[in-house]
C-alpha cells in the first residue's frame, strides 16, 4: 500500500527501533555515519573507525600526569590489591601504558596480542607501531572494582632534560586516542613540579576537546626531601574542572592553604576556563594519616570523588551516545571542508599552486562554510593541524559533496538519536546505584566507618538512650514559655521560636514535618525538643534526613511511627 511513498521518506518519519543502546549505536554508526567518514577520508585526518568493542566495553578511567604523582598508587588504592606489572617509586617507574582490566586469572597480555583481540577496544592502536606496542600491556586480575570499570595507567609526563629523550612514538597522539574512548580523564600534578613541560603542554592540547571527561586530582605536598625519598606518593592529582590534592595529610593546614593557592594559580595558566576548578583534597593510599587535623575534610572529599567514579557505569551509555553525536558533527564539518577544497581545485593545470593557495586560505574557507551551513565555529577542527595534514594529501582525489551521505547523518541526529535517548534513560533506571563495588568503594559504605556515621542526624544511632534527651531540659524551658494548651504548642507559637534560628522557611518547614510525628499540626514537648535538635543539626552544617531515622523518634511515639 502507498508504494509511491519513498523508502527515504518512510525512514525519516519512522526512526529505527533498537533493543539496547549498544546495538543501536553500532548499527547507526555502521549504516549512517561510517559511509560519510569513509567517503571523505575522516580516519586519515581525525580518528580511526570505531569497532564493536568500542561500544561494548566497560567504562574506562584514564590517569595522566607527571612522574611520581601517584597514578599507580591511586589505582592500587581503589583496587586494594597489587596488579601485574605494578611498580611504585619516587622516580619514573611506569614506562608503559597499562590497561588494568578484569580477568578470571592474574596475568599480563602484551600489546601486540591486545591489538588483534576483537573483544578488546584496542585494535586501532596498531597504527602507532611497535615502539608503542612494546610499551603497552593489559594487566588482568579478578577484582570486583574491575567488573564495572577499567583503568588506564600511563607513563609519567617528562620534564626538563628527560623530555628530550624521544619515546619513539607520538605520546600526545596516543593519549588523544584514549581520551576519545574513555569515560573519565584524571590529570595528576605534583605540587613540587607545577612547571609545564613541552610534552605536558602537548598533552593538554591533545585533551582540549574532551574537557567534559576530565577531573583534576592533584598529587603533591610540601614535605622535606628526606620525606619525599621515602614517600613515592607525594604529589597532587589534577583534572580539567576538578582537582585532587593527594597526600594532603603530610601538610599542616596553613601549608595546605598555600599549596592549594599555588596549584590553582598554576592551573589557571593552563586551563582557559571561567569556571573555578573543583579540587578534591585527600590522601589516596592506605597508610596512616601523618597529620590528621583535616581528617573529616579528606573523608568528605574522597566520597565526592568516589561518587563521580561510581556514576560512570550508570552514565556509560549516555557518554557513548554523546561521543557519537560529537563525532557525527565533526564528520559533517570535515565533509564540507574536503568537498569545498575539491570544488576549488583545477582539473588540469596549476594544481600544486592552487593547493598551496587553498591551504593558506583555509581560515577563509572555514568562515564561508560556517556562514553557508550555520555551523558553530567550535565544531571546526584545529586550523593549523588541518593545514599540516592537507600538505601531504592529493586534493584532486577528494570527493565532491554527496548530499545523500549528509542527509543520512542528519536523519540520524534528528530522529534516531531521540529514540536512543529513551533507551538510555531506561537502561540507567535499571542499573543499581552505585554500580562500582569492591575495593576502596566498599570500605566506607556501611558500619561505623561509613562517611558521616554518627554525625549530624546520625548522632546517637548506636545509643540505647534517646539522643535528644541530653538537651531536652533546655528545650523544655523554652517549650513552657510558649503557652502550651493540653501539653502542646500551636504551630504559630512554635514558629515564633523556630524562626529565631534564621534558617529559611523551606528548611524550617521540612523540620516541622519531620518533628510533627502524629501529624496533628501541634508539637508536644518531645516533638518540640526533636525540632530544636534538627535545627541544631542543620546549623552545624549537616543535611537533614529525607525521613526521620528510627533512633530520633521520641520513645513515646515509636509505636505510632511503626
Amino acid at each position: 500500500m502507498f508504494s509511491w511513498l519513498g523508502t527515504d521518506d518512510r525512514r525519516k518519519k519512522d526512526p529505527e527501533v533498537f533493543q539496547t543502546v549498544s546495538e543501536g549505536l553500532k548499527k547507526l554508526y555502521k549504516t549512517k555515519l561510517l559511509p560519510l567518514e569513509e567517503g571523505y577520508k575522516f580516519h586519515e585526518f581525525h580518528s580511526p573507525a570505531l569497532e564493536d568493542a568500542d561500544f561494548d566495553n566497560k567504562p574506562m578511567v584514564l590517569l595522566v600526569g607527571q612522574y611520581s604523582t601517584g597514578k599507580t598508587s591511586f589505582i592500587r588504592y581503589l583496587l586494594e590489591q597489587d596488579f601485574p606489572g605494578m611498580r611504585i617509586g619516587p622516580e619514573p617507574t611506569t614506562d608503559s601504558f597499562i590497561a588494568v582490566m578484569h580477568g578470571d586469572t592474574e596475568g599480563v597480555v602484551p600489546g601486540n596480542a591486545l591489538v588483534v583481540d576483537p573483544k578488546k577496544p584496542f585494535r586501532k592502536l596498531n597504527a602507532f607501531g611497535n615502539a608503542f606496542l612494546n610499551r603497552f600491556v593489559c594487566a588482568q586480575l579478578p577484582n570486583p572494582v574491575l567488573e564495572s570499570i577499567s583503568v588506564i595507567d600511563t607513563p609519567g609526563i617528562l620534564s626538563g632534560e628527560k623530555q628530550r629523550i624521544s619515546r619513539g612514538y607520538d605520546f600526545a597522539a596516543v593519549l588523544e586516542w584514549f581520551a576519545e574512548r574513555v569515560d573519565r580523564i584524571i590529570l595528576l600534578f605534583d605540587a613540587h613540579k607545577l612547571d609545564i613541560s613541552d610534552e605536558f603542554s602537548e598533552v593538554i592540547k591533545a585533551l582540549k576537546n574532551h574537557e567534559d571527561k576530565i577531573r583534576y586530582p592533584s598529587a603533591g605536598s610540601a614535605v622535606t626531601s628526606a620525606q619525599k625519598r621515602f614517600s613515592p606518593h607525594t604529589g597532587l592529582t589534577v583534572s580539567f574542572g576538578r582537582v585532587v590534592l593527594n597526600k594532603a595529610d603530610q601538610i599542616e593546614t596553613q601549608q595546605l592553604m598555600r599549596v592549594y593557592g599555588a596549584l590553582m594559580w598554576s592551573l589557571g595558566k593552563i586551563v582557559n576556563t571561567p569556571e573555578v576548578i573543583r579540587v578534591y583534597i585527600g590522601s589516596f593510599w592506605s597508610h596512616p594519616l601523618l597529620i590528621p587535623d583535616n581528617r573529616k575534610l579528606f573523608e568528605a572529599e574522597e566520597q565526592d570523588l568516589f561518587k563521580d567514579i561510581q556514576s560512570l557505569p550508570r552514565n556509560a551509555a549516555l557518554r557513548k551516545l554523546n561521543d557519537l553525536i560529537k563525532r557525527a558533527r565533526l564528520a559533517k564539518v570535515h565533509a564540507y571542508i574536503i568537498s569545498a577544497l575539491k570544488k576549488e581545485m583545477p582539473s588540469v593545470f596549476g594544481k600544486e599552486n592552487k593547493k598551496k593557495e587553498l591551504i593558506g586560505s583555509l581560515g577563509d574557507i572555514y568562515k564561508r562554510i560556517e556562514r553557508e551551513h550555520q555551523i558553530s565555529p567550535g565544531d571546526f577542527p584545529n586550523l593549523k593541524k588541518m593545514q599540516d595534514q592537507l600538505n601531504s594529501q592529493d586534493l584532486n582525489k577528494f570527493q565532491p559533496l554527496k548530499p545523500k551521505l549528509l542527509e543520512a547523518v542528519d536523519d540520524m541526529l534528528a530522529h534516531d538519536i531521540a529514540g536512543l535517548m529513551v533507551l538510555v534513560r531506561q537502561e540507567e533506571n535499571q542499573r543499581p546505584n552505585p554500580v562500582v563495588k569492591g575495593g576502596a568503594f566498599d570500605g566506607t559504605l556501611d558500619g561505623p566507618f561509613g562517611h558521616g556515621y554518627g554525625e549530624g542526624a546520625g548522632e546517637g544511632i548506636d545509643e540505647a538512650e534517646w539522643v535528644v534527651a541530653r538537651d531536652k531540659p533546655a528545650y523544655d524551658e523554652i517549650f513552657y514559655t510558649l503557652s502550651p494548651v493540653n501539653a502542646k504548642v500551636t504551630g504559630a507559637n512554635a514558629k515564633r521560636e523556630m524562626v529565631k534560628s534564621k534558617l529559611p522557611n523551606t528548611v524550617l518547614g521540612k523540620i516541622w514535618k519531620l518533628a510533627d510525628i502524629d501529624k496533628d499540626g501541634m508539637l508536644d514537648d518531645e516533638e518540640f525538643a526533636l525540632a530544636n535538635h534538627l535545627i541544631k543539626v542543620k546549623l552545624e552544617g549537616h543535611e537533614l534526613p529525607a525521613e526521620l531515622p528510627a533512633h530520633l523518634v521520641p520513645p513515646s511515639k515509636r509505636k505510632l511511627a511503626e
Side-chain angles (χ1 to χ4, degrees):
M1 187 170 68
F2 301 123
S3 58
W4 47 268
L5 185 62
T7 304
D8 289 342
D9 292 331
R10 286 199 298 269
R11 186 179 298 124
K12 288 178 182 178
K13 292 183 180 180
D14 300 314
E16 297 193 54
V17 178
F18 305 106
Q19 298 301 314
T20 66
V21 176
S22 178
E23 172 205 335
L25 291 172
K26 284 186 279 190
K27 188 169 183 182
L28 288 177
Y29 177 71
K30 290 176 181 177
T31 60
K32 297 191 174 181
L33 183 53
L34 184 58
L36 181 69
E37 292 182 355
E38 291 176 336
Y40 295 96
K41 298 187 176 185
F42 181 87
H43 307 139
E44 295 182 27
F45 285 84
H46 303 290
S47 175
L50 299 178
E51 298 188 332
D52 287 354
D54 291 309
F55 298 103
D56 296 332
N57 67 297
K58 298 170 186 174
M60 293 191 290
V61 178
L62 177 68
L63 302 182
V64 182
Q66 295 182 174
Y67 69 87
S68 187
T69 53
K71 298 186 298 295
T72 304
S73 300
F74 184 81
I75 301 174
R76 171 67 178 79
Y77 182 74
L78 293 183
L79 303 184
E80 291 190 343
Q81 74 175 93
D82 294 346
F83 57 89
M86 185 185 84
R87 292 174 59 209
I88 295 174
E91 76 284 357
T93 50
T94 303
D95 62 350
S96 302
F97 281 79
I98 304 177
V100 186
M101 308 182 80
H102 187 270
D104 294 331
T105 58
E106 283 196 22
V108 175
V109 181
N112 280 290
L114 273 177
V115 295
V116 296
D117 185 350
K119 294 182 180 179
K120 295 285 194 299
F122 305 124
R123 284 162 59 93
K124 296 299 182 179
L125 284 170
N126 186 59
F128 292 101
N130 278 329
F132 166 72
L133 296 178
N134 291 335
R135 291 287 181 268
F136 178 45
V137 298
C138 175
Q140 294 183 322
L141 67 157
N143 184 285
V145 173
L146 299 176
E147 291 178 4
S148 302
I149 62 173
S150 300
V151 187
I152 311 297
D153 194 7
T154 62
I157 296 173
L158 304 179
S159 60
E161 289 296 320
K162 301 182 187 71
Q163 74 180 2
R164 298 184 183 180
I165 304 173
S166 174
R167 295 183 186 271
Y169 61 89
D170 191 336
F171 180 71
V174 172
L175 282 179
E176 185 172 12
W177 186 95
F178 276 107
E180 290 178 355
R181 289 158 177 80
V182 301
D183 297 72
R184 181 68 74 241
I185 303 169
I186 297 180
L187 298 182
L188 295 94
F189 283 83
D190 189 321
H192 304 280
K193 307 185 191 75
L194 293 183
D195 57 308
I196 308 304
S197 66
D198 293 342
E199 188 171 35
F200 184 71
S201 296
E202 290 180 17
V203 168
I204 296 295
K205 293 174 184 175
L207 302 180
K208 188 66 176 175
N209 294 327
H210 308 282
E211 292 177 353
D212 57 318
K213 300 178 182 180
I214 302 179
R215 299 295 178 272
Y216 292 97
S218 316
S221 51
V223 295
T224 65
S225 58
Q227 284 177 310
K228 194 168 183 184
R229 280 199 298 271
F230 293 101
S231 177
H233 275 7
T234 52
L236 295 171
T237 312
V238 184
S239 68
F240 277 108
R242 309 271 171 91
V243 179
V244 179
L245 184 56
N246 195 19
K247 294 311 274 179
D249 63 309
Q250 297 183 5
I251 313 175
E252 297 281 358
T253 301
Q254 187 177 14
Q255 288 179 303
L256 180 59
M257 293 175 64
R258 290 172 179 168
V259 171
Y260 174 88
L263 176 62
M264 294 297 288
W265 180 80
S266 297
L267 286 174
K269 297 193 299 180
I270 307 168
V271 185
N272 185 22
T273 174
E275 292 83 13
V276 176
I277 297 169
R278 171 67 163 95
V279 179
Y280 297 100
I281 303 174
S283 177
F284 294 93
W285 66 347
S286 56
H287 292 249
L289 299 176
L290 295 182
I291 302 174
D293 297 359
N294 298 306
R295 184 186 187 107
K296 287 187 177 181
L297 171 65
F298 298 161
E299 290 173 355
E301 295 288 275
E302 179 179 271
Q303 288 304 306
D304 285 350
L305 182 60
F306 281 6
K307 286 178 183 177
D308 183 68
I309 297 174
Q310 285 179 309
S311 71
L312 296 181
R314 184 178 178 87
N315 299 326
L318 184 59
R319 193 276 302 170
K320 291 171 183 175
L321 181 63
N322 183 60
D323 283 355
L324 186 70
I325 294 172
K326 284 165 57 178
R327 188 180 179 101
R329 291 168 67 93
L330 179 59
K332 281 183 59 181
V333 173
H334 180 77
Y336 286 130
I337 295 170
I338 296 300
S339 60
L341 293 170
K342 170 66 177 178
K343 185 178 180 180
E344 296 292 332
M345 284 296 290
S347 56
V348 184
F349 301 110
K351 295 180 181 180
E352 201 58 36
N353 290 334
K354 188 62 176 178
K355 174 183 175 179
K356 292 180 181 179
E357 179 188 331
L358 289 173
I359 294 175
S361 61
L362 188 61
D364 295 330
I365 295 175
Y366 275 18
K367 291 178 181 178
R368 188 172 75 241
I369 294 172
E370 180 186 333
R371 289 193 305 271
E372 290 178 359
H373 302 282
Q374 291 80 51
I375 298 172
S376 169
D379 288 348
F380 285 82
N382 179 271
L383 179 62
K384 180 65 169 61
K385 183 179 178 181
M386 192 69 175
Q387 288 173 323
D388 292 341
Q389 291 172 318
L390 286 170
N391 281 321
S392 60
Q393 296 282 336
D394 184 349
L395 273 57
N396 280 99
K397 292 184 178 179
F398 287 173
Q399 295 294 319
L401 197 63
K402 296 180 180 179
K404 285 191 175 181
L405 292 179
L406 289 165
E407 287 171 5
V409 175
D410 286 335
D411 181 48
M412 177 188 79
L413 294 173
H415 301 94
D416 299 310
I417 294 298
L420 279 182
M421 279 298 299
V422 176
L423 268 182
V424 166
R425 296 306 178 194
Q426 291 175 355
E427 291 188 3
E428 285 181 351
N429 293 333
Q430 291 169 2
R431 286 185 177 274
N433 192 23
V435 179
V436 182
K437 296 181 179 180
F441 297 101
D442 283 355
T444 58
L445 281 182
D446 302 305
F449 296 100
H451 175 59
Y453 188 91
E455 301 174 3
E459 182 184 359
I461 190 171
D462 293 328
E463 298 178 15
E465 298 294 327
W466 188 39
V467 66
V468 182
R470 298 174 188 170
D471 299 317
K472 190 170 183 296
Y475 299 144
D476 283 348
E477 290 184 13
I478 302 172
F479 177 80
Y480 288 111
T481 65
L482 300 177
S483 306
V485 178
N486 297 326
K488 293 190 175 185
V489 296
T490 63
N493 287 342
K495 177 181 178 180
R496 281 200 303 272
E497 181 62 32
M498 293 172 68
V499 295
K500 292 179 181 178
S501 67
K502 300 180 181 180
L503 290 171
N505 285 345
T506 52
V507 175
L508 293 175
K510 183 174 182 179
I511 290 173
W512 175 273
K513 290 178 181 177
L514 291 170
D516 185 16
I517 295 170
D518 53 15
K519 308 302 179 189
D520 63 352
M522 305 178 76
L523 300 181
D524 62 20
D525 61 321
E526 289 184 329
E527 291 173 327
F528 182 77
L530 174 60
N532 280 275
H533 179 77
L534 293 173
I535 288 173
K536 185 180 78 168
V537 166
K538 187 63 181 176
L539 290 175
E540 289 176 349
H542 302 286
E543 292 300 320
L544 294 172
E547 297 181 1
L548 192 68
H551 71 279
L552 287 184
V553 177
S556 65
K557 302 286 195 304
R558 287 179 181 172
K559 288 186 178 180
L560 181 64
E562 292 175 0

